[in-house]
Amino acid sequence: DHVIDYAERDILAGSVRYDVVFELGGVRSASALRSVLTTRGTLVLSSGDGGRWFGPLVRLGAAMVTSPFVRQRVCMFVANSKTANLAQLTGLIDRGELHPIVDRTYPLTEMAEAIRYFRRPHGRGKVVVTVDHATADDIDDR
């Protein structure tokens, strides 16, 4: 019923308790997020930083291991890219019913810069890397 933009308000500040917290790609600990849940609230985790070698698996795994020992429910959300779903999204875009937000566009030759930008916090849309035919042909020749 109510969505909070993490860039505008810190949910950990204050005394408000939530039925559901959906942390998409965040870096906060599960215990910190559980502290703002109601007694029977649900914490949904998806991705996030978990370290150099195992990425988000450490964070998600730790949350799942502790889940049986707390009253709140902790679960994971994992995106599943199915062809049929992607085709439906493409149709929505083609009909103008869905408007993806593109923050920045980089040519393939600037992939390193695109990755550096992507890793910065607080992005406002997708980072797109374009591949033209000439660049693709150059890659095939290598």
Side-chain angles (χ1 to χ4, degrees):
D1 292 335
H2 183 71
V3 176
I4 298 170
D5 181 346
Y6 69 92
E8 294 178 13
R9 191 166 122 213
D10 182 4
I11 66 165
L12 300 181
S15 60
V16 178
R17 297 292 173 254
Y18 302 94
D19 294 318
V20 177
V21 172
F22 180 33
E23 179 84 344
L24 180 61
V27 295
R28 295 174 190 244
S29 71
S31 60
L33 295 168
R34 281 196 318 265
S35 73
V36 298
L37 286 174
T38 58
T39 305
R40 299 272 182 203
T42 300
L43 173 60
V44 182
L45 297 173
S46 177
S47 190
D49 188 19
R52 180 176 179 184
W53 298 105
F54 297 104
L57 295 178
V58 172
R59 179 174 180 260
L60 295 172
M64 296 308 292
V65 166
T66 59
S67 183
F69 305 104
V70 296
R71 282 187 153 174
Q72 294 116 340
R73 186 170 158 228
V74 179
C75 57
M76 290 189 298
F77 171 80
V78 179
N80 188 350
S81 300
K82 293 183 178 179
T83 303
N85 294 344
L86 295 174
Q88 184 178 12
L89 286 174
T90 301
L92 292 170
I93 292 168
D94 289 346
R95 290 189 303 276
E97 297 174 31
L98 177 66
H99 304 281
I101 298 172
V102 176
D103 186 3
R104 298 254 174 116
T105 302
Y106 293 88
L108 184 60
T109 55
E110 295 178 23
M111 176 65 91
E113 180 58 33
I115 292 171
R116 277 191 289 277
Y117 183 78
F118 175 76
R119 296 187 82 181
R120 290 181 15 195
H122 308 299
R124 293 291 177 193
K126 297 297 181 183
V127 176
V128 176
V129 176
T130 59
V131 180
D132 62 34
H133 293 291
T135 305
D137 291 341
D138 290 343
I139 291 170
D140 289 339
D141 292 340
R142 292 183 195 166

